[in-house]
Amino acid sequence: MNGSYSGDPFGSRSRGPGAGWSGAGLWDAMEQLKDVFEQRVGTRMGRGDVRAAVLALLAEQPMHGYQIIHEIEERSHGVWKPSPGSVYPTLQMLADEGLITAEESGGRKTYSLTDAGREETEQSKDRSAPWETPGKRDAASATAIPKAGAQLAQAAAQVASTGSPEQVTEAVAVLDEARRRLYSILAQG
């Protein structure tokens, strides 16, 4: 895929209802649409944000690395999921700084704050956690529509690949009505 976006991801201007749909074509269109949304919303965070997020979570309770990753993803509503390649080096750096300790139990290291770590988090308690900053909150809200659109496209692809001609025609009418209603929401504002 070349990453370009034609403005008509489902090719509805060039095809009639249900004409020429292939499951692969619809999936390609979904991928193109997803790429456009990801470019607008973005999911990368700075190294300092990972550090601040880890400290904020460990201030609440001891956790292991994958718990930290999962918590950040949950609290950012799926907008930000740091990779193990950013979390584990950060944990090592914090341990080297004497801000956290690691205790191995059941084959997993559980990290907790030291007194110095608690002191540092206490000093920064007035700052919001990285997943709570206004830009991140807006990004979390912005992902709701792309996720819903992707789910809608998956359902449409299923109808296109397994539905009868009558079901495809009915699905196209539903999709056309959804598009009209979305534009009417904008017209109200």
Side-chain angles (χ1 to χ4, degrees), residues 101-115:
T101 60
E103 185 178 304
E104 192 153 340
S105 172
R108 284 195 164 157
K109 285 185 179 179
T110 300
Y111 300 90
S112 56
L113 292 178
T114 62
D115 289 338

Side-chain angles (χ1 to χ4, degrees), residues 49-144:
D49 291 326
V50 175
R51 184 182 195 280
V54 168
L55 287 172
L57 290 172
L58 294 179
E60 295 175 11
Q61 69 180 23
M63 295 184 181
H64 59 77
Y66 280 98
Q67 280 178 299
I68 292 169
I69 293 168
H70 178 73
E71 274 300 311
I72 292 171
E73 181 181 24
E74 283 281 315
R75 293 180 189 206
S76 71
H77 305 285
V79 171
W80 177 29
K81 182 180 181 183
S83 70
S86 64
V87 170
Y88 284 101
T90 301
L91 288 167
Q92 183 60 54
M93 178 188 69
L94 292 169
D96 292 346
E97 293 175 21
L99 299 176
I100 66 171
T101 60
E103 185 178 304
E104 192 153 340
S105 172
R108 284 195 164 157
K109 285 185 179 179
T110 300
Y111 300 90
S112 56
L113 292 178
T114 62
D115 289 338
R118 277 188 282 287
E119 189 176 308
E120 181 158 325
T121 58
E122 193 62 32
Q123 291 172 1
S124 62
K125 72 178 181 181
D126 293 337
R127 283 186 243 142
S128 59
W131 56 81
E132 294 174 346
T133 58
K136 310 302 182 297
R137 243 182 274 129
D138 295 344
S141 304
T143 62

Side-chain angles (χ1 to χ4, degrees), residues 164-178:
S164 68
E166 295 80 20
Q167 290 171 321
V168 168
T169 300
E170 186 178 346
V172 168
V174 167
L175 292 171
D176 284 345
E177 175 62 20

